[in-house]
Amino acid sequence: MKFSYLAHEHLVRCLVHRSCIAQLSAEYYSPSNAGRGFESGEENTMSKTVGVTLGAAGLYMGLVIGLMVFCRMRRARKKARLLAEATAEAKSENGTLPNDTEMNPIVTKPLKDGSTTRSDNEAPSHSSGSHYSKKSRSSYDKAHFPRQELQTMMLLGHGDYGEVFLAKAKGIVDPDTEIIVMVKALQTRDENAHFEFKREMDMLNKLRHENITKLYGICRETEPFLFITEYSDWGDLKQFLLATRRDNTRKGPKPPPLNVPQILGVCHQIASGMEYLANQRFTHKDLATRNCLVTSRLNIKISFPSLSRDTYADEYFLYRNRTLPLRWAPAEAILEDEWSTKSDVWSFAVVACELFTQAELPFSEHSNETVLRLLNSSELRWKPPAGAPSALCSLLLTCWSISARDRPTFTDVVHKLGQVTVDSHL
C-alpha cells in the first residue's frame, strides 16, 4: 500500500510539472509574442546603422569646415607674405600701413590755388621737406614720394588694379620742377592683382633703359598704394596712330602718318627696350601700342598702363577668370598661361602690324570667340602688313611661329631690324 501511495504521489507531481511547462510554453509562443526576439535584434542593428551614418556625416562636415578654415588661413598668410615684402621696409617714425583698412579713393584733391589736400580718411604722410632730408634704407625708401604733392589732372581709365590717372608732381625729379606723371592705384583685394602689382613695381624699380618708362616714385604709407611713372607729351602710341588716320574726326592738330623708315625706327626702339627687359629676366605679358608712350620726337617708351576695364576693354577678353590680350598673345599664353620672352616676341610682331595699319584691331573681322577657337586649333594665320619690306615680313612670320622654340630672341630681332633699316635707306 505504501508503494502504491508513493507511485500515485510521484505521478501527480509529474503531471503538475508538465502542466506548468505547457502553460509557460503556450504563454511564450503565443501569437502576440511571435517574432519579438527577432524584432529586438533588428532594432539594435538599425540603431547601430543610424549611429554610424550620423557619425560619418558629422566627421565629414568637420573635415569640410576644417578645410575651409585652413584654406582661408592659408590665403590670409599668402596675402600677408606678398604684402609684407612691399610694406616691411616702409615702417618709419610716422607709422606703418594698416592691414585691415578699406580701399579708399584717390586722396589728392586739387584746390583753387593749385595746392592739394587729403581726404579725411587718409593717414598722415611724410612731408616734402622730410622726404628730401631723410636717408633711405632701401630702394623703395628712395622711391618714396609724398602723395600730397600729387595733383590729379584727369582719369585715363581703369585696369585690373584700379584707376590710372594723370597728375602733376612737384619735386619728384628735383625740388623746384613740376612735371606730368602717370599714376597707377592698387584698389583691389584680389591676391593675384596684388602680386602682379608688386611685380610691376619691382620691375620698374630695377629697370634703367631709354625705351622703358621710368619709375619716379611710390606712395605706400597708406592705401591705396600708388606708383608713379613717366608720361609723354603725345600720350600712348595707339592714340597717336589713330590721330594720323584720314577719317579721324578729333579736333586739334593731326600728325601725318608715319612713313616706312619711321615705322622701322619705332620697331627698333620697341625691340631694343624688350631686349633689355628680356635680359633682366622680365616678361611684359601685354605688349601693344596702347602700352607704349610716344613723344613729339618719336621717342618710344614701353609702359604698363593696361587699361583693360574701360578705355581699351574691347581689346581684352575674359577667359578662365583672366583678362587677357587675346589678339596679341600666342596660344600657349592664352590657353596654358605660359608667358615668356617668346610670347612677348609674338606680341611684338602684332605691334609691327599696328604700326603699318594705323592701329587697326588685329583680325577685326572675327569675334573674340572665333579668334580663341582658331588659336586652340592652331588655325590662326597671320599675314605681314601691306607695305612692309620683305625682310621685315620674313622676320614677322618667324615671330608668329606656333612653337615658341622656333621664334627668334629679341637680340635676333634687334639685329635683323638693324639690317632692314639700313636696307630701307638704300
Side-chain angles (χ1 to χ4, degrees):
M1 291 294 294
K2 185 176 182 181
F3 173 78
S4 299
Y5 174 80
L6 291 175
H8 175 76
E9 184 179 1
H10 178 73
L11 179 61
V12 170
R13 287 180 180 179
C14 288
L15 291 174
V16 171
H17 180 70
R18 289 182 180 179
S19 176
C20 290
I21 291 176
Q23 184 178 358
L24 289 174
S25 298
E27 232 177 73
Y28 183 80
Y29 291 107
S30 64
S32 61
N33 292 332
R36 182 177 296 178
F38 295 104
E39 286 181 0
S40 177
E42 290 178 358
E43 288 177 0
N44 291 335
T45 303
M46 184 63 69
S47 299
K48 291 180 180 179
T49 302
V50 171
V52 171
T53 303
L54 292 177
L59 179 61
Y60 176 76
M61 291 179 63
L63 289 174
V64 171
I65 294 174
L67 183 61
M68 291 174 63
V69 172
F70 172 77
C71 291
R72 187 169 183 177
M73 293 177 62
R74 184 180 180 183
R75 263 197 318 269
R77 287 196 300 267
K78 181 180 178 182
K79 181 177 180 180
R81 186 177 69 253
L82 292 175
L83 291 178
E85 298 179 8
T87 59
E89 296 176 355
K91 293 181 180 179
S92 62
E93 297 86 355
N94 293 319
T96 60
L97 175 71
N99 291 327
D100 299 321
T101 56
E102 295 296 326
M103 289 294 178
N104 302 319
I106 303 303
V107 293
T108 55
K109 298 181 179 179
L111 302 177
K112 294 181 179 179
D113 60 357
S115 61
T116 59
T117 184
R118 293 194 306 269
S119 61
D120 294 336
N121 55 6
E122 181 186 356
S125 59
H126 299 288
S127 65
S128 179
S130 64
H131 166 66
Y132 289 108
S133 62
K134 289 183 178 180
K135 293 183 178 180
S136 299
R137 295 177 297 173
S138 69
S139 58
Y140 278 140
D141 291 333
K142 293 178 182 178
H144 171 73
F145 185 76
R147 68 180 65 207
Q148 68 266 21
E149 299 295 338
L150 289 175
Q151 182 178 344
T152 304
M153 294 177 58
M154 63 174 291
L155 180 69
L156 292 177
H158 295 78
D160 288 338
Y161 310 139
E163 293 181 349
V164 181
F165 61 97
L166 293 183
K168 292 180 180 179
K170 184 176 181 180
I172 200 165
V173 175
D174 60 72
D176 299 323
T177 303
E178 183 180 70
I179 63 173
I180 296 176
V181 295
M182 183 173 69
V183 184
K184 294 184 72 170
L186 180 62
Q187 296 169 303
T188 176
R189 291 290 186 183
D190 183 72
E191 294 178 10
N192 291 330
H194 276 252
F195 178 80
E196 289 296 322
F197 186 88
K198 184 181 181 301
R199 184 187 72 88
E200 264 186 45
M201 196 163 58
D202 288 342
M203 179 168 58
L204 289 176
N205 194 38
K206 296 175 182 177
L207 301 180
R208 300 290 184 274
H209 192 272
E210 60 183 353
N211 296 122
I212 296 180
T213 185
K214 296 178 182 177
L215 177 69
Y216 279 146
I218 299 172
C219 301
R220 300 187 303 146
E221 75 281 1
T222 186
E223 293 182 338
F225 283 179
L226 307 176
F227 74 77
I228 309 161
T229 63
E230 180 181 14
Y231 197 66
S232 62
D233 52 352
W234 277 12
D236 72 65
L237 184 56
K238 184 178 182 69
Q239 293 301 318
F240 169 80
L241 292 172
L242 292 174
T244 63
R245 290 183 173 184
R246 291 183 179 179
D247 57 355
N248 176 39
T249 58
R250 297 182 181 181
K251 297 180 180 180
K254 297 181 180 180
L258 299 178
N259 56 39
V260 174
Q262 288 174 326
I263 292 176
L264 293 175
V266 170
C267 287
H268 193 274
Q269 291 184 68
I270 295 175
S272 297
M274 292 304 299
E275 179 189 22
Y276 174 79
L277 200 67
N279 290 338
Q280 301 300 314
R281 300 183 181 279
F282 286 113
T283 305
H284 190 290
K285 295 185 178 182
D286 194 10
L287 182 61
T289 57
R290 61 181 174 269
N291 290 327
C292 294
L293 303 178
V294 59
T295 70
S296 55
R297 296 184 178 183
L298 288 184
N299 294 325
I300 304 299
K301 303 279 187 178
I302 299 170
S303 186
F304 306 85
S306 299
L307 304 177
S308 59
R309 296 296 185 186
D310 42 27
T311 307
Y312 294 120
D314 293 340
E315 302 187 4
Y316 292 87
F317 181 65
L318 184 63
Y319 180 65
R320 294 178 180 174
N321 296 322
R322 296 178 294 144
T323 304
L324 303 173
L326 176 65
R327 300 167 190 265
W328 279 262
E332 77 270 4
I334 299 296
L335 304 175
E336 303 172 15
D337 198 25
E338 293 182 2
W339 300 87
S340 66
T341 299
K342 293 301 183 74
S343 61
D344 283 343
V345 168
W346 176 294
S347 301
F348 166 80
V350 182
V351 171
C353 284
E354 289 187 272
L355 292 170
F356 276 95
T357 61
Q358 296 175 291
E360 181 180 338
L361 182 68
F363 297 105
S364 57
E365 69 277 12
H366 294 319
S367 65
N368 286 329
E369 290 75 14
T370 301
V371 173
L372 180 63
R373 178 178 58 80
L374 293 174
L375 266 179
N376 194 21
S377 60
S378 301
E379 296 177 357
L380 192 67
R381 294 292 181 263
W382 284 88
K383 295 180 180 179
S390 58
L392 178 63
C393 293
S394 300
L395 175 61
L396 297 182
L397 289 175
T398 59
C399 292
W400 288 320
S401 298
I402 295 178
S403 174
R405 296 180 180 179
D406 297 333
R407 298 171 204 154
T409 64
F410 274 112
T411 300
D412 297 332
V413 172
V414 170
H415 176 70
K416 293 181 180 180
L417 280 175
Q419 293 178 338
V420 174
T421 304
V422 172
D423 293 341
S424 67
H425 291 293
L426 293 179

